[in-house]
Amino acid sequence: MTPMVDVSTPTRLPARSRTRTWAVVAAACTGQFLVVLDVSVVNVALPSMRTDLGLSASGLQWVVNAYSIAFAGFMLLGGRAADIYGRKRMFLTGLGLFTAASLAGGLAQEDWHLLAARAAQGLGAAVLSPATLTILTAAVPEGPARTRAIGTWMAVGAGGGAAGGLIGGVLTDALSWRWVLLINVPVGALVLAGALVWLAEGRAGDRRRVDLPGAVLVTAGLATVAYGIVQTEAEGWGAAATLVPLLGGLALLGAFVLVEARTAAPLMPLRVLGVRAVSAANVSMLLMGSATFCMWYFMTVYAQNVLEYTPLEAGLALMPSSAAVILGSKAAPRLMTRTGAKPLAVTGFLVTAAGFGWQSTMGEHGSYLTAVCLPGVLMMAGAGLASTPLATLATSGAAPGDAGLVSGLVNTSRTMGGALGLAVLSTVATARTGSSTAAADITAGYATAFRTATVVLLAGVLLMMVWLPGRIRVRADRRPIRARRLW
């Protein structure tokens, strides 16, 4: 049998083990690719899903948000479970559930079948994604090699989100919308087989119980808040149908904080958020996610509903943006050695904000170059530059026993931001558009959403300059040092 790589201890591996180590990295990155792909792959298929299953306008949002909220809400549980029960076990469990739910969604016959399958996919992704990062960080020694591996992981994940438009467009045009989900089945089965061979079990040595009440409370709270935000489109902010779920969701999130403060084995130990690097980096990641996740949604519906692109044309139109986020993520580790993590993260936010500001000038007869391509490249290149230093800062503050927890928290923040950002920005767009179906009014709604996202990103820049620490830096001679404070 092929020798297995122990993923439990981050030791420096001899040269002969490097090939097997990078096989582990490849498995982890493929799992992350699938997880992030399914956030965006459905976007170009939404009009076809609506026609086939009779989805309402708010139902279209829930095709995206059912996945995102389950993903974000249970990811902390997945991260803790990886530490307690073993990273390989959780990787296989999460990937198995994700693959089975993809099959169920591809075969859905009613709208609720699809939404339930998407929620189950999100649960599987929540178990899978934290295990991918902890497997990677345990397999690669600390220092520049690990920074490069995290950069690869971030680039692959970003590429999954970026490639979703093209893959979804090709599958929807050539086959049907069902294949945007069914394609996960053979890929998932192949990765499961490889993981069984290459991965050995590893855990943090902690056998505490997982905090299921905390996971349920945070997921229910996020879902209820998102539902309340979506209700504002039809009912307004002052209606009982809006206020009850909003207040109820906030109460559930408050109960989550109380449970975490009192339980012996919390899902989210509040002490972790007391580490400045962890808390500041995760808030920054939440703000970035709230804008960039929505970018793919609005750009694909703008391309199809206003510019009248086909699903395939819409996917192809976003390919430069896809390339930009991958290149930005891959360039970030090298740039970090020269600038430090904080300056690079701030620069990435500013580049992204410039792209969103440009995109907010979109019109109903916009040209591809100035209304889709170039703004998209700026938005995604900046996101790629910012994500790796933020993830590095967040994980740098984690104790060995909290590695899975903080890894899950990084992804939770980004995905939670995306889910809530989509609900908020869709409401902003709808408020501007009203009941009009004219292309000019629809475009004006999308433009307002992009302007709002620009303000959020600029607020994130101010927050990072004040709060984000600037001490993590990696020297070119491969030794970590304390970076001088640059801000």
Side-chain angles (χ1 to χ4, degrees):
M1 179 179 291
T2 304
M4 291 189 289
V5 177
D6 184 355
V7 297
S8 61
T9 306
T11 56
R12 187 174 297 276
L13 298 173
R16 65 179 180 272
S17 300
R18 290 174 186 166
T19 299
R20 292 192 296 272
T21 299
W22 284 102
V24 174
V25 173
C29 288
T30 302
Q32 182 68 2
F33 179 86
L34 290 176
V35 162
V36 180
L37 174 72
D38 269 65
V39 177
S40 63
V41 73
V42 299
N43 284 339
V44 296
L46 290 175
S48 300
M49 291 177 177
R50 182 174 189 175
T51 300
D52 196 10
L53 299 180
L55 287 161
S56 65
S58 61
L60 289 181
Q61 290 183 41
W62 283 102
V63 173
V64 178
N65 272 350
Y67 180 88
S68 298
I69 290 174
F71 186 14
F74 283 103
M75 203 182 309
L76 292 177
L77 180 66
R80 179 56 77 191
D83 286 336
I84 296 174
Y85 297 120
R87 292 141 193 181
K88 176 179 179 179
R89 182 179 300 174
M90 291 299 101
F91 182 92
L92 296 175
T93 300
L95 184 56
L97 177 57
F98 179 87
T99 303
S102 298
L103 178 62
L107 300 177
Q109 299 301 310
E110 300 287 344
D111 54 355
W112 69 269
H113 294 166
L114 177 59
L115 297 182
R118 288 287 287 167
Q121 268 191 311
L123 178 58
V127 176
L128 172 61
S129 185
T132 66
L133 187 53
T134 52
I135 284 171
L136 183 147
T137 54
V140 181
E142 187 174 0
R146 182 180 293 179
T147 300
R148 288 194 299 270
I150 291 175
T152 300
W153 181 86
M154 294 295 298
V156 168
L166 177 60
I167 294 173
V170 170
L171 293 173
T172 302
D173 264 3
L175 298 170
S176 79
W177 67 264
R178 298 182 182 278
W179 280 95
V180 303
L181 301 175
L182 292 175
I183 192 63
N184 294 323
V185 177
V187 178
L190 182 63
V191 177
L192 278 169
L196 284 169
V197 173
W198 284 99
L199 299 185
E201 192 53 273
R203 59 172 62 90
D206 191 344
R207 298 296 298 176
R208 292 177 295 173
R209 296 172 58 189
V210 297
D211 179 20
L212 185 59
V216 171
L217 283 171
V218 70
T219 305
L222 288 172
T224 306
V225 168
Y227 177 77
I229 294 171
V230 171
Q231 284 293 97
T232 62
E233 296 181 20
E235 305 291 341
W237 286 96
T242 298
L243 291 177
V244 169
L246 283 176
L247 295 177
L250 292 175
L252 289 170
L253 294 175
F256 167 71
V257 174
L258 291 177
V259 167
E260 300 311 284
R262 296 174 181 237
T263 187
L267 177 67
M268 178 71 264
L270 300 183
R271 61 176 170 76
V272 173
L273 295 179
V275 179
R276 182 180 171 190
V278 174
S279 56
N282 276 279
V283 171
S284 301
M285 193 72 85
L286 183 146
L287 294 177
M288 176 63 79
S290 71
T292 55
F293 271 46
C294 300
M295 174 266 188
W296 300 109
Y297 177 86
F298 283 112
M299 291 296 281
T300 51
V301 294
Y302 169 65
Q304 292 184 73
N305 293 346
V306 177
L307 301 182
E308 298 183 347
Y309 290 9
T310 66
L312 177 57
E313 289 170 342
L316 290 171
L318 295 176
M319 280 300 293
S321 303
S322 304
V325 72
I326 295 170
L327 292 175
S329 297
K330 289 298 291 180
R334 292 191 296 274
L335 294 173
M336 277 177 57
T337 64
R338 301 178 182 179
T339 67
K342 177 179 176 178
L344 184 59
V346 170
T347 300
F349 261 67
L350 288 172
V351 172
T352 303
F356 272 83
W358 187 351
Q359 189 63 56
S360 71
T361 65
M362 63 206 296
E364 62 176 307
H365 302 298
S367 70
Y368 168 68
L369 190 63
T370 58
V372 176
C373 179
L374 295 180
V377 166
L378 280 180
M379 287 186 275
M380 291 298 102
L385 290 174
S387 295
T388 296
L390 288 175
T392 301
L393 283 168
T395 56
S396 70
D402 290 329
L405 170 66
V406 175
S407 299
L409 185 59
V410 169
N411 284 295
T412 296
S413 298
R414 180 172 51 186
T415 310
M416 183 194 333
L420 296 180
L422 178 58
V424 170
L425 294 179
S426 294
T427 300
V428 168
T430 301
R432 173 62 180 84
T433 302
S435 59
S436 175
T437 58
D441 293 329
I442 293 173
T443 304
Y446 297 157
T448 303
F450 278 102
R451 278 193 290 275
T452 304
T454 304
V455 173
V456 170
L457 290 167
L458 292 176
V461 169
L462 295 177
L463 179 145
M464 287 192 295
M465 293 182 69
V466 172
W467 190 13
L468 195 67
R471 297 180 182 275
I472 303 300
R473 193 176 180 184
V474 179
R475 286 204 319 214
D477 62 2
R478 298 177 176 266
R479 286 184 293 144
I481 62 171
R482 285 184 180 272
R484 68 185 184 277
R485 188 168 296 279
L486 300 173
W487 298 95

